[in-house]
Amino acid sequence: KAKQAGRNTLCFFDPDLQASVARRMSLEADMRAGLRKNQFFAVYQPQVNHEQQVFAVEALIRWNHPARGIVSPGEFIPVAESSGLILALGQWMLREACRQLVEWQRVPELAHLTVAVNVSARQFHHPDFVEQVLLALDETGADPKKLKLELTESLLLDDVEAVIGRMTALKAHGVSFSLDDFGTGYSSLAYLKKLPLDQLKIDQSFVREVVSAANDAAITHAIIGMAKSLGLSVIAEGVEEEAQRAYLAKQGCHAFQGYLFGRPVRAEELREVFATFFTD
Ligand code: C2E
Ligand code: MG
Ligand code: MG
Ligand code: MG
């Protein structure tokens, strides 16, 4: 295997590697075609507050591949990142979420919703990123105050001043920011405090066993405390059981997202999710 042969050795005849390169290339070509043919769509997952009211939704991308069926973003986002296709995909998602926001304005029980959109590192660091977000807002007529962008810690490792500049420019328009998968990255506390963030999102890996594993409980406790002292809101992702919700709530976390409250669904189905919430 190339790996065992060492970093400086090229191995042209590794059948596994060849297969994975081929797969990657066909995925890339399929993605390009998929964008043209409208095979991508968004699903939305509720985020609830301490009173279990839905105050926001996270937009998550899905791909309806003609041969493979629904492909999950874990499979194609990394390929989109490395090929640069993420720029087109990310822009599509931003517009889609903004368009949806405007549509929800006409539905009384959905009009208050904020939508959270995931932004990948390459997308964020593109020189036109700020303009592209403003363009999506402008062209759809969406309210920037209802748009939240989810960034990951890895994205912040680069030029901190540039990151702050971009965030500040968008915040001036009312856009807010959440730090996704928090706790899994490498952000130092020193610059966490410099970033104009609004929310920390506790990664689901800490939530999974928060009730039974003392070290996970210690981490969530620390994150919640840190968020509070930095003046940020905090949300836990991957909440599947009432016991997890109750435990985190006791620690002071007041916003939650996870299968306990609803799976990601198409916009058309979101009204039904709300209906079940309000009749419970
Ligand atoms: P993420 O942003 O951390 O999103 C949360 C993931 O956890 C989603 O997976 C969601 O479906 C899943 N999830 C939600 N509740 C639960 C739960 O209770 N239990 C478990 N086990 N999982 C839960 P999904 O939709 O497959 O997305 C995976 C990742 O792909 C996302 O992680 C995000 O990093 C990325 N992604 C998704 N959509 C986009 C997009 O439009 N743009 C970019 N750049 N990345 C995206
Ligand atoms: Mg996210
Ligand atoms: Mg996350
Ligand atoms: Mg995650």
Side-chain angles (χ1 to χ4, degrees):
K1 287 278 163 64
K3 237 186 199 162
Q4 289 156 346
R7 278 175 170 274
N8 300 316
T9 317
L10 278 175
C11 177
F12 291 103
F13 304 107
D14 182 329
D16 285 354
L17 187 65
Q18 221 161 48
S20 84
V21 168
R23 189 181 146 76
R24 229 186 139 75
M25 284 174 66
S26 81
L27 202 61
E28 218 181 292
D30 284 4
M31 254 191 286
R32 252 176 246 283
L35 259 171
R36 275 198 315 272
K37 295 177 185 166
N38 288 316
Q39 289 166 2
F40 291 92
F41 63 98
V43 287
Y44 299 89
Q45 185 178 35
Q47 298 184 339
V48 307
N49 64 17
H50 56 291
E51 289 167 311
Q52 310 221 16
Q53 291 160 332
V54 183
F55 65 93
V57 291
E58 178 176 9
L60 295 156
I61 199 165
R62 295 290 180 268
W63 180 14
N64 191 3
H65 188 282
R68 300 209 271 146
I70 307 294
V71 188
S72 80
E75 258 196 86
F76 66 83
I77 291 283
V79 180
E81 275 258 348
S82 61
S83 67
L85 255 177
I86 193 68
L87 299 174
L89 218 54
Q91 192 58 20
W92 175 84
M93 192 50 157
L94 270 169
R95 274 195 67 98
E96 182 59 24
C98 288
R99 197 192 55 72
Q100 202 51 247
L101 272 178
V102 174
E103 218 173 287
W104 287 333
Q105 287 305 298
R106 294 195 289 269
V107 186
E109 66 263 47
L110 306 179
H112 66 289
L113 288 179
T114 288
V115 69
V117 177
N118 293 284
V119 173
S120 85
R122 188 150 174 192
Q123 187 187 359
F124 184 87
H125 288 295
H126 191 277
D128 291 341
F129 178 67
V130 171
E131 267 171 72
Q132 298 268 286
V133 175
L134 296 178
L135 194 69
L137 287 163
D138 218 50
E139 288 181 350
T140 55
D143 178 0
K145 291 195 192 65
K146 296 216 162 73
L147 179 65
K148 177 162 66 182
L149 299 180
E150 292 196 1
L151 311 181
T152 54
E153 288 170 271
S154 62
L155 171 158
L156 308 169
L157 286 178
D158 292 317
D159 184 352
V160 187
E161 295 308 322
V163 170
I164 294 173
R166 273 169 201 209
M167 291 175 73
T168 308
L170 287 170
K171 281 187 76 78
H173 291 266
V175 175
S176 59
F177 289 91
S178 180
L179 196 48
D180 204 353
D181 304 334
F182 187 72
T184 59
Y186 321 86
S187 39
S188 82
L189 299 184
Y191 82 52
L192 196 59
K193 136 185 132 181
K194 288 180 34 182
L195 295 168
L197 286 165
D198 299 279
Q199 183 181 65
L200 295 184
K201 195 167 191 184
I202 303 173
D203 188 66
Q204 57 189 60
S205 61
F206 306 119
V207 171
R208 207 168 295 133
E209 287 168 32
V210 71
V211 178
S212 56
N215 51 353
D216 286 337
I219 290 169
T220 57
H221 184 72
I223 295 175
I224 293 161
M226 188 162 62
K228 288 215 163 143
S229 53
L230 290 171
L232 307 176
S233 72
V234 60
I235 183 166
E237 70 174 10
V239 179
E240 297 183 354
E241 292 158 15
E242 169 53 27
Q244 296 166 330
R245 188 207 62 81
Y247 194 93
L248 289 160
K250 214 175 64 196
Q251 288 188 325
C253 181
H254 297 306
F256 312 93
Q257 180 182 347
Y259 298 161
L260 178 64
F261 312 100
R263 296 200 170 239
V265 293
R266 295 234 198 199
E268 305 87 87
E269 295 165 72
L270 207 61
R271 273 175 101 161
E272 291 164 41
V273 174
F274 274 74
T276 56
F277 261 94
F278 290 122
T279 51
D280 266 0

